[in-house]
Coordinates of all heavy atoms in Angstrom, one line a residue:
M1 N -46.0 -47.1 -57.1 CA -45.8 -45.7 -57.2 C -45.6 -45.3 -58.6 O -44.7 -45.9 -59.3 CB -44.7 -45.3 -56.3 CG -44.5 -43.8 -56.3 SD -43.4 -43.2 -55.0 CE -44.4 -43.2 -53.6
N2 N -46.3 -44.3 -59.1 CA -46.1 -43.8 -60.4 C -44.9 -42.7 -60.4 O -44.7 -42.1 -59.4 CB -47.3 -43.1 -60.9 CG -48.5 -44.0 -61.1 OD1 -48.3 -45.2 -61.3 ND2 -49.7 -43.5 -61.0
Q3 N -44.2 -42.7 -61.5 CA -43.1 -41.7 -61.6 C -43.1 -41.0 -63.0 O -43.6 -41.6 -64.0 CB -41.8 -42.4 -61.5 CG -41.5 -43.1 -60.2 CD -40.1 -43.6 -60.1 OE1 -39.2 -43.2 -60.7 NE2 -39.9 -44.6 -59.2
R4 N -42.6 -39.8 -63.0 CA -42.4 -39.1 -64.3 C -41.2 -38.3 -64.2 O -41.0 -37.5 -63.2 CB -43.6 -38.2 -64.6 CG -43.4 -37.5 -65.9 CD -44.6 -36.7 -66.3 NE -45.8 -37.4 -66.5 CZ -46.9 -36.9 -66.9 NH1 -47.0 -35.6 -67.1 NH2 -48.0 -37.6 -67.0
I5 N -40.3 -38.4 -65.2 CA -39.1 -37.6 -65.2 C -39.4 -36.3 -66.0 O -40.0 -36.4 -67.1 CB -38.0 -38.4 -65.9 CG1 -37.7 -39.6 -65.0 CG2 -36.8 -37.5 -66.1 CD1 -36.7 -40.6 -65.6
V6 N -39.1 -35.2 -65.5 CA -39.4 -33.9 -66.0 C -38.1 -33.0 -66.1 O -37.3 -33.0 -65.2 CB -40.4 -33.1 -65.2 CG1 -40.7 -31.7 -65.7 CG2 -41.7 -33.9 -65.1
E7 N -37.9 -32.4 -67.3 CA -36.8 -31.5 -67.4 C -37.3 -30.1 -67.2 O -38.4 -29.7 -67.7 CB -36.2 -31.5 -68.8 CG -35.0 -30.5 -69.0 CD -34.4 -30.5 -70.4 OE1 -34.8 -31.3 -71.2 OE2 -33.6 -29.6 -70.6
V8 N -36.7 -29.4 -66.3 CA -37.1 -28.0 -65.9 C -36.6 -27.0 -67.0 O -35.4 -26.9 -67.2 CB -36.6 -27.6 -64.5 CG1 -37.0 -26.2 -64.2 CG2 -37.1 -28.6 -63.5
K9 N -37.6 -26.4 -67.6 CA -37.2 -25.4 -68.7 C -37.5 -24.0 -68.3 O -37.1 -23.1 -69.0 CB -38.0 -25.8 -70.0 CG -37.6 -27.1 -70.5 CD -38.4 -27.4 -71.8 CE -37.9 -28.8 -72.3 NZ -38.7 -29.2 -73.5
N10 N -38.2 -23.8 -67.1 CA -38.4 -22.4 -66.7 C -37.0 -21.8 -66.5 O -36.2 -22.3 -65.8 CB -39.2 -22.5 -65.4 CG -39.5 -21.1 -64.8 OD1 -38.6 -20.3 -64.6 ND2 -40.8 -20.8 -64.7
P11 N -36.8 -20.6 -67.0 CA -35.5 -20.0 -66.9 C -35.0 -19.7 -65.5 O -33.8 -19.6 -65.3 CB -35.6 -18.7 -67.8 CG -37.0 -18.5 -68.0 CD -37.7 -19.8 -67.8
H12 N -35.9 -19.6 -64.6 CA -35.6 -19.3 -63.2 C -35.6 -20.6 -62.3 O -35.4 -20.5 -61.1 CB -36.5 -18.3 -62.6 CG -36.5 -17.0 -63.4 ND1 -35.5 -16.1 -63.5 CD2 -37.5 -16.5 -64.2 CE1 -35.8 -15.1 -64.3 NE2 -37.0 -15.3 -64.7
G13 N -35.9 -21.7 -63.0 CA -36.0 -22.9 -62.2 C -37.3 -22.9 -61.4 O -38.2 -22.2 -61.7
L14 N -37.3 -23.6 -60.3 CA -38.5 -23.6 -59.4 C -38.1 -22.8 -58.2 O -37.9 -23.2 -57.1 CB -38.8 -25.0 -59.0 CG -39.5 -25.9 -60.1 CD1 -39.9 -27.3 -59.5 CD2 -40.7 -25.2 -60.7
H15 N -38.1 -21.5 -58.4 CA -37.8 -20.5 -57.4 C -39.0 -19.5 -57.3 O -39.6 -19.2 -58.3 CB -36.5 -19.7 -57.7 CG -35.3 -20.6 -57.7 ND1 -34.8 -21.1 -56.6 CD2 -34.6 -21.1 -58.7 CE1 -33.7 -21.9 -56.9 NE2 -33.7 -21.9 -58.2
A16 N -39.3 -19.0 -56.1 CA -40.3 -18.0 -55.9 C -41.7 -18.3 -56.5 O -42.3 -19.3 -56.1 CB -39.8 -16.6 -56.3
R17 N -42.1 -17.6 -57.5 CA -43.4 -17.7 -58.1 C -43.6 -19.1 -58.7 O -44.7 -19.7 -58.4 CB -43.7 -16.6 -59.1 CG -45.1 -16.7 -59.7 CD -45.4 -15.4 -60.5 NE -46.8 -15.5 -61.0 CZ -47.1 -15.4 -62.2 NH1 -46.2 -15.2 -63.1 NH2 -48.3 -15.5 -62.6
P18 N -42.7 -19.6 -59.5 CA -43.0 -21.0 -60.1 C -43.1 -22.0 -59.0 O -43.9 -22.9 -59.0 CB -41.8 -21.3 -61.0 CG -41.2 -19.9 -61.3 CD -41.5 -19.0 -60.1
A19 N -42.3 -21.9 -57.9 CA -42.3 -22.9 -56.8 C -43.6 -22.8 -56.1 O -44.2 -23.8 -55.7 CB -41.2 -22.6 -55.8
A20 N -44.1 -21.6 -55.9 CA -45.4 -21.4 -55.2 C -46.6 -22.0 -56.0 O -47.4 -22.7 -55.5 CB -45.7 -19.9 -55.0
L21 N -46.5 -21.8 -57.3 CA -47.6 -22.4 -58.2 C -47.5 -23.9 -58.2 O -48.5 -24.6 -58.1 CB -47.4 -21.9 -59.6 CG -47.7 -20.4 -59.8 CD1 -47.4 -20.0 -61.2 CD2 -49.2 -20.1 -59.6
F22 N -46.3 -24.4 -58.2 CA -46.0 -25.9 -58.2 C -46.6 -26.5 -56.9 O -47.3 -27.5 -56.9 CB -44.5 -26.1 -58.3 CG -44.0 -27.5 -58.5 CD1 -43.8 -28.0 -59.7 CD2 -43.8 -28.3 -57.4 CE1 -43.4 -29.3 -59.9 CE2 -43.4 -29.6 -57.6 CZ -43.2 -30.1 -58.9
V23 N -46.3 -25.9 -55.8 CA -46.7 -26.4 -54.5 C -48.3 -26.3 -54.3 O -48.9 -27.2 -53.8 CB -46.1 -25.6 -53.3 CG1 -46.7 -25.9 -52.0 CG2 -44.6 -26.0 -53.3
Q24 N -48.8 -25.2 -54.8 CA -50.3 -25.0 -54.8 C -51.0 -26.2 -55.6 O -52.0 -26.7 -55.2 CB -50.7 -23.7 -55.4 CG -50.5 -22.5 -54.4 CD -50.8 -21.2 -55.0 OE1 -51.0 -21.1 -56.2 NE2 -50.8 -20.2 -54.2
K25 N -50.4 -26.4 -56.8 CA -51.0 -27.5 -57.6 C -50.9 -28.9 -56.9 O -51.8 -29.7 -56.9 CB -50.4 -27.5 -59.0 CG -50.9 -28.6 -59.9 CD -52.5 -28.6 -60.0 CE -53.0 -27.4 -60.8 NZ -54.5 -27.6 -61.0
A26 N -49.7 -29.1 -56.4 CA -49.5 -30.4 -55.7 C -50.4 -30.5 -54.5 O -50.9 -31.6 -54.2 CB -48.0 -30.5 -55.2
A27 N -50.6 -29.4 -53.8 CA -51.5 -29.5 -52.6 C -52.9 -29.7 -52.9 O -53.7 -30.2 -52.1 CB -51.4 -28.2 -51.8
S28 N -53.3 -29.5 -54.2 CA -54.7 -29.8 -54.6 C -55.0 -31.3 -54.8 O -56.1 -31.7 -54.9 CB -55.0 -29.1 -55.9 OG -54.4 -29.7 -57.0
F29 N -53.9 -32.1 -54.7 CA -54.1 -33.5 -54.9 C -54.1 -34.2 -53.5 O -53.2 -33.8 -52.6 CB -52.9 -34.1 -55.7 CG -52.9 -35.6 -55.9 CD1 -53.8 -36.2 -56.7 CD2 -51.9 -36.4 -55.2 CE1 -53.8 -37.6 -56.8 CE2 -51.9 -37.7 -55.4 CZ -52.9 -38.3 -56.2
P30 N -55.0 -35.0 -53.2 CA -55.1 -35.6 -51.8 C -54.0 -36.5 -51.4 O -53.7 -36.7 -50.2 CB -56.5 -36.3 -51.8 CG -56.8 -36.6 -53.2 CD -56.1 -35.5 -54.0
G31 N -53.3 -37.1 -52.4 CA -52.3 -38.1 -52.1 C -50.9 -37.5 -51.9 O -50.8 -36.3 -52.0
K32 N -49.9 -38.3 -51.6 CA -48.6 -37.9 -51.4 C -47.9 -37.7 -52.8 O -48.0 -38.6 -53.7 CB -47.8 -38.9 -50.6 CG -46.4 -38.5 -50.3 CD -45.8 -39.4 -49.3 CE -44.3 -39.0 -49.0 NZ -43.7 -39.8 -48.0
I33 N -47.1 -36.6 -52.9 CA -46.3 -36.4 -54.1 C -44.9 -36.0 -53.7 O -44.8 -35.1 -52.8 CB -46.9 -35.3 -55.1 CG1 -48.3 -35.6 -55.5 CG2 -46.0 -35.1 -56.3 CD1 -49.0 -34.5 -56.3
V34 N -43.9 -36.6 -54.2 CA -42.5 -36.4 -53.9 C -41.8 -35.9 -55.1 O -42.0 -36.4 -56.2 CB -41.9 -37.6 -53.3 CG1 -40.4 -37.5 -53.0 CG2 -42.6 -38.1 -52.0
V35 N -40.8 -35.0 -54.9 CA -39.9 -34.5 -56.0 C -38.5 -35.0 -55.6 O -38.1 -34.8 -54.5 CB -39.9 -33.0 -56.1 CG1 -39.0 -32.6 -57.2 CG2 -41.3 -32.5 -56.4
E36 N -37.9 -35.6 -56.6 CA -36.5 -36.1 -56.4 C -35.6 -35.4 -57.3 O -35.9 -35.3 -58.5 CB -36.4 -37.6 -56.6 CG -35.0 -38.1 -56.4 CD -34.8 -39.6 -56.8 OE1 -35.8 -40.2 -57.2 OE2 -33.7 -40.0 -56.7
K37 N -34.4 -35.0 -56.8 CA -33.4 -34.4 -57.7 C -32.0 -34.8 -57.1 O -31.8 -34.5 -55.9 CB -33.5 -32.9 -57.7 CG -32.3 -32.2 -58.5 CD -32.3 -30.8 -58.3 CE -30.9 -30.3 -58.6 NZ -30.5 -29.1 -58.0
G38 N -31.2 -35.4 -57.8 CA -29.9 -35.8 -57.4 C -29.8 -36.6 -56.1 O -29.0 -36.4 -55.3
G39 N -30.8 -37.5 -55.9 CA -30.8 -38.4 -54.8 C -31.5 -37.8 -53.6 O -31.7 -38.4 -52.6
K40 N -31.8 -36.5 -53.6 CA -32.6 -35.8 -52.5 C -34.0 -35.8 -52.9 O -34.4 -35.6 -54.0 CB -32.1 -34.4 -52.3 CG -30.7 -34.3 -51.8 CD -30.2 -32.8 -51.7 CE -31.2 -31.8 -51.4 NZ -30.6 -30.4 -51.3
E41 N -34.9 -36.0 -51.8 CA -36.3 -35.9 -52.0 C -36.9 -34.9 -51.2 O -36.4 -34.6 -50.1 CB -36.9 -37.3 -51.7 CG -36.6 -38.4 -52.7 CD -37.4 -39.6 -52.5 OE1 -38.1 -39.8 -51.4 OE2 -37.4 -40.5 -53.3
A42 N -38.0 -34.3 -51.7 CA -38.8 -33.3 -50.9 C -40.3 -33.5 -51.2 O -40.7 -33.9 -52.3 CB -38.4 -31.9 -51.3
D43 N -41.1 -33.2 -50.2 CA -42.5 -33.2 -50.3 C -42.9 -32.1 -51.3 O -42.6 -30.9 -51.1 CB -43.2 -32.9 -49.0 CG -44.7 -33.0 -49.0 OD1 -45.3 -33.0 -50.1 OD2 -45.3 -33.0 -47.9
A44 N -43.6 -32.4 -52.4 CA -44.0 -31.5 -53.4 C -45.0 -30.4 -52.9 O -45.2 -29.4 -53.5 CB -44.6 -32.2 -54.6
K45 N -45.6 -30.7 -51.7 CA -46.5 -29.8 -51.1 C -45.9 -28.8 -50.1 O -46.5 -28.0 -49.5 CB -47.6 -30.6 -50.4 CG -48.4 -31.4 -51.3 CD -49.4 -32.3 -50.6 CE -50.2 -33.2 -51.6 NZ -51.2 -33.9 -50.9
S46 N -44.5 -28.8 -50.0 CA -43.8 -28.0 -49.1 C -43.0 -27.0 -49.8 O -42.0 -27.3 -50.6 CB -42.9 -28.9 -48.2 OG -41.9 -28.1 -47.6
I47 N -43.3 -25.7 -49.7 CA -42.6 -24.6 -50.4 C -41.1 -24.6 -49.9 O -40.2 -24.5 -50.8 CB -43.2 -23.3 -50.2 CG1 -42.6 -22.2 -51.1 CG2 -43.2 -22.8 -48.8 CD1 -42.9 -22.3 -52.5
L48 N -40.9 -24.8 -48.6 CA -39.5 -24.9 -48.2 C -38.7 -26.1 -48.7 O -37.6 -26.0 -49.1 CB -39.4 -24.9 -46.6 CG -39.9 -23.6 -46.0 CD1 -39.9 -23.8 -44.4 CD2 -39.0 -22.5 -46.3
G49 N -39.4 -27.2 -48.8 CA -38.8 -28.4 -49.4 C -38.4 -28.2 -50.8 O -37.3 -28.5 -51.2
I50 N -39.3 -27.6 -51.6 CA -39.0 -27.4 -53.1 C -37.9 -26.3 -53.2 O -37.0 -26.5 -54.0 CB -40.3 -26.9 -53.8 CG1 -41.3 -28.1 -53.8 CG2 -40.0 -26.5 -55.2 CD1 -40.9 -29.4 -54.4
M51 N -38.0 -25.2 -52.5 CA -37.0 -24.2 -52.6 C -35.6 -24.7 -52.2 O -34.6 -24.3 -52.7 CB -37.4 -23.0 -51.8 CG -38.7 -22.3 -52.2 SD -38.6 -21.2 -53.6 CE -37.7 -19.9 -52.9
S52 N -35.6 -25.5 -51.1 CA -34.3 -26.0 -50.6 C -33.5 -26.9 -51.6 O -32.3 -27.1 -51.4 CB -34.4 -26.6 -49.3 OG -35.1 -27.9 -49.4
M53 N -34.3 -27.4 -52.6 CA -33.6 -28.4 -53.5 C -32.8 -27.6 -54.6 O -32.0 -28.2 -55.2 CB -34.7 -29.2 -54.2 CG -35.4 -30.2 -53.2 SD -36.4 -31.3 -54.0 CE -35.2 -32.5 -54.6
G54 N -33.0 -26.3 -54.7 CA -32.2 -25.6 -55.7 C -32.4 -26.0 -57.1 O -31.5 -26.1 -57.8
I55 N -33.7 -26.2 -57.5 CA -34.0 -26.7 -58.8 C -33.8 -25.6 -59.8 O -34.5 -24.6 -59.7 CB -35.4 -27.3 -58.9 CG1 -35.5 -28.5 -57.9 CG2 -35.7 -27.8 -60.3 CD1 -36.9 -29.0 -57.7
E56 N -32.9 -25.8 -60.8 CA -32.6 -24.7 -61.8 C -33.0 -25.2 -63.2 O -33.2 -26.4 -63.4 CB -31.1 -24.4 -61.7 CG -30.7 -23.8 -60.3 CD -29.2 -23.5 -60.3 OE1 -28.5 -23.8 -61.2 OE2 -28.8 -23.0 -59.2
C57 N -33.0 -24.2 -64.1 CA -33.3 -24.5 -65.5 C -32.3 -25.5 -66.0 O -31.1 -25.4 -65.7 CB -33.2 -23.2 -66.3 SG -33.6 -23.4 -68.0
G58 N -32.8 -26.5 -66.7 CA -32.0 -27.6 -67.2 C -31.8 -28.8 -66.3 O -31.4 -29.8 -66.8
D59 N -32.3 -28.7 -65.1 CA -32.2 -29.8 -64.2 C -33.3 -30.8 -64.5 O -34.3 -30.5 -65.1 CB -32.5 -29.4 -62.7 CG -31.3 -28.7 -62.1 OD1 -30.2 -28.7 -62.7 OD2 -31.5 -28.1 -61.0
T60 N -33.1 -32.1 -64.2 CA -34.1 -33.1 -64.4 C -34.5 -33.5 -63.0 O -33.7 -33.8 -62.1 CB -33.5 -34.3 -65.1 OG1 -33.0 -33.9 -66.4 CG2 -34.5 -35.4 -65.3
I61 N -35.9 -33.5 -62.8 CA -36.5 -34.0 -61.6 C -37.4 -35.2 -61.8 O -37.8 -35.4 -62.9 CB -37.3 -32.8 -60.9 CG1 -38.4 -32.3 -61.8 CG2 -36.3 -31.7 -60.5 CD1 -39.3 -31.3 -61.1
T62 N -37.6 -35.9 -60.8 CA -38.5 -37.1 -60.9 C -39.7 -36.8 -59.9 O -39.5 -36.5 -58.8 CB -37.8 -38.4 -60.5 OG1 -36.7 -38.6 -61.3 CG2 -38.8 -39.6 -60.6
L63 N -40.9 -36.9 -60.5 CA -42.1 -36.7 -59.7 C -42.6 -38.1 -59.4 O -42.6 -39.0 -60.2 CB -43.2 -36.0 -60.5 CG -42.8 -34.7 -61.1 CD1 -44.0 -34.2 -62.0 CD2 -42.5 -33.7 -60.0
K64 N -42.9 -38.3 -58.1 CA -43.4 -39.7 -57.6 C -44.7 -39.5 -56.9 O -44.8 -38.5 -56.0 CB -42.3 -40.3 -56.7 CG -41.0 -40.5 -57.3 CD -40.0 -41.1 -56.3 CE -38.7 -41.3 -56.9 NZ -37.7 -41.9 -55.9
G65 N -45.6 -40.3 -57.1 CA -46.9 -40.2 -56.4 C -47.8 -41.4 -56.7 O -47.5 -42.2 -57.6
E66 N -48.8 -41.5 -55.9 CA -49.8 -42.6 -56.0 C -51.2 -42.0 -56.0 O -51.4 -41.0 -55.4 CB -49.6 -43.6 -54.8 CG -48.4 -44.3 -54.9 CD -48.3 -45.4 -53.7 OE1 -49.3 -45.6 -53.1 OE2 -47.2 -45.9 -53.5
G67 N -52.1 -42.7 -56.6 CA -53.5 -42.3 -56.6 C -54.1 -42.4 -58.0 O -53.4 -42.5 -59.0
D68 N -55.4 -42.5 -58.0 CA -56.1 -42.6 -59.3 C -56.0 -41.4 -60.2 O -56.0 -41.6 -61.4 CB -57.6 -42.8 -59.0 CG -57.9 -44.1 -58.2 OD1 -57.1 -45.0 -58.3 OD2 -58.9 -44.2 -57.5
Q69 N -55.9 -40.2 -59.7 CA -55.8 -39.0 -60.5 C -54.4 -38.4 -60.6 O -54.3 -37.2 -60.8 CB -56.8 -38.0 -59.9 CG -58.2 -38.5 -59.9 CD -58.7 -38.8 -61.3 OE1 -58.4 -38.0 -62.3 NE2 -59.5 -39.8 -61.5
I70 N -53.4 -39.2 -60.4 CA -52.0 -38.7 -60.4 C -51.5 -38.2 -61.7 O -50.8 -37.2 -61.8 CB -51.0 -39.7 -59.8 CG1 -49.7 -39.0 -59.4 CG2 -50.8 -40.9 -60.7 CD1 -49.8 -38.0 -58.3
E71 N -51.9 -38.8 -62.8 CA -51.4 -38.4 -64.1 C -51.8 -36.9 -64.5 O -50.9 -36.2 -64.9 CB -51.9 -39.3 -65.2 CG -51.2 -40.7 -65.1 CD -49.7 -40.6 -65.2 OE1 -49.1 -39.8 -66.0 OE2 -49.0 -41.4 -64.5
P72 N -53.0 -36.5 -64.3 CA -53.4 -35.1 -64.5 C -52.6 -34.1 -63.6 O -52.2 -33.0 -64.1 CB -54.9 -35.0 -64.2 CG -55.4 -36.3 -64.4 CD -54.3 -37.2 -63.9
V73 N -52.3 -34.5 -62.4 CA -51.5 -33.7 -61.5 C -50.0 -33.6 -62.0 O -49.4 -32.6 -62.1 CB -51.5 -34.2 -60.1 CG1 -50.6 -33.4 -59.2 CG2 -52.9 -34.2 -59.5
F74 N -49.5 -34.8 -62.5 CA -48.2 -34.8 -63.1 C -48.1 -33.9 -64.3 O -47.1 -33.1 -64.5 CB -47.8 -36.2 -63.5 CG -47.2 -37.1 -62.4 CD1 -47.0 -38.4 -62.7 CD2 -47.0 -36.6 -61.1 CE1 -46.5 -39.3 -61.7 CE2 -46.6 -37.5 -60.1 CZ -46.3 -38.8 -60.4
D75 N -49.2 -33.9 -65.1 CA -49.2 -33.1 -66.3 C -49.2 -31.6 -65.9 O -48.4 -30.8 -66.5 CB -50.5 -33.3 -67.1 CG -50.6 -34.6 -67.7 OD1 -49.6 -35.3 -67.9 OD2 -51.7 -35.1 -68.1
A76 N -49.9 -31.2 -64.9 CA -49.9 -29.8 -64.4 C -48.6 -29.4 -63.8 O -48.1 -28.3 -64.1 CB -51.1 -29.6 -63.4
L77 N -48.0 -30.3 -63.0 CA -46.7 -29.9 -62.4 C -45.6 -29.8 -63.5 O -44.7 -28.9 -63.4 CB -46.3 -31.0 -61.4 CG -47.2 -31.0 -60.2 CD1 -46.8 -32.2 -59.2 CD2 -47.2 -29.7 -59.4
E78 N -45.7 -30.7 -64.5 CA -44.7 -30.6 -65.6 C -44.9 -29.4 -66.4 O -43.9 -28.7 -66.7 CB -44.9 -31.9 -66.5 CG -43.9 -31.9 -67.7 CD -44.0 -33.2 -68.5 OE1 -44.9 -34.0 -68.3 OE2 -43.1 -33.3 -69.3
A79 N -46.1 -28.9 -66.6 CA -46.4 -27.7 -67.3 C -45.8 -26.5 -66.6 O -45.2 -25.6 -67.2 CB -47.9 -27.5 -67.5
I80 N -45.9 -26.5 -65.3 CA -45.3 -25.4 -64.5 C -43.8 -25.4 -64.6 O -43.2 -24.3 -64.8 CB -45.8 -25.5 -63.0 CG1 -47.3 -25.2 -62.9 CG2 -45.0 -24.5 -62.1 CD1 -47.9 -25.5 -61.6
A81 N -43.2 -26.6 -64.5 CA -41.7 -26.7 -64.5 C -41.2 -26.3 -65.9 O -40.0 -25.9 -66.0 CB -41.3 -28.1 -64.2
Q82 N -42.0 -26.4 -66.9 CA -41.6 -26.1 -68.3 C -42.0 -24.8 -68.8 O -41.7 -24.4 -69.9 CB -42.0 -27.3 -69.2 CG -41.3 -28.6 -68.8 CD -41.5 -29.7 -69.8 OE1 -42.5 -29.7 -70.6 NE2 -40.7 -30.7 -69.8
D83 N -42.8 -24.1 -68.1 CA -43.4 -22.8 -68.5 C -42.3 -21.7 -68.5 O -41.8 -21.4 -67.4 CB -44.5 -22.4 -67.6 CG -45.3 -21.2 -68.1 OD1 -44.7 -20.4 -68.9 OD2 -46.4 -21.0 -67.7
T84 N -41.9 -21.2 -69.6 CA -40.9 -20.2 -69.8 C -41.4 -18.8 -69.5 O -40.6 -17.9 -69.5 CB -40.2 -20.3 -71.1 OG1 -41.2 -20.1 -72.1 CG2 -39.5 -21.7 -71.3
S85 N -42.7 -18.6 -69.3 CA -43.2 -17.3 -69.1 C -43.3 -16.9 -67.6 O -43.7 -15.7 -67.3 CB -44.6 -17.2 -69.8 OG -45.5 -17.9 -69.1
L86 N -43.1 -17.8 -66.7 CA -43.2 -17.5 -65.3 C -42.0 -16.8 -64.7 O -40.9 -17.1 -65.0 CB -43.5 -18.7 -64.5 CG -44.8 -19.4 -64.8 CD1 -44.9 -20.7 -64.0 CD2 -46.0 -18.6 -64.4

């Protein structure tokens, strides 16, 4: 399983619009992607799962997934988590 640690820089964290974009991008990948924060894990394709984690600006999350094309998806998810304009 591949992993990437990401610091959330979006000033609102992964709430509402950023969370929706995050989930849409994760859903475009056919394999499983999991987000971990503080020992809790959620399916990256679940808006309720992401929102329930309470991911805020400055938090560190770990993206976990498998598949041939996982790195570009990790890149896109990291860009959403770090986008300060959303």
Side-chain angles (χ1 to χ4, degrees):
M1 180 168 283
N2 296 334
Q3 296 186 26
R4 182 179 297 182
I5 297 172
V6 174
E7 181 182 353
V8 178
K9 295 182 181 177
N10 182 300
H12 305 290
L14 289 183
H15 299 283
R17 185 168 180 236
L21 293 171
F22 190 92
V23 168
Q24 286 175 350
K25 181 51 74 174
S28 71
F29 179 70
K32 182 175 181 177
I33 303 174
V34 174
V35 177
E36 179 190 359
K37 175 193 159 206
K40 290 176 33 180
E41 290 189 347
D43 183 349
K45 299 177 183 184
S46 166
I47 189 76
L48 290 175
I50 296 301
M51 298 281 290
S52 71
M53 294 188 78
I55 299 169
E56 298 179 357
C57 184
D59 286 347
T60 299
I61 60 174
T62 303
L63 305 175
K64 300 177 181 181
E66 291 184 12
D68 296 335
Q69 299 297 320
I70 194 67
E71 290 302 322
V73 175
F74 280 175
D75 291 342
L77 296 176
E78 182 173 10
I80 292 167
Q82 295 185 342
D83 189 339
T84 59
S85 68
L86 295 175

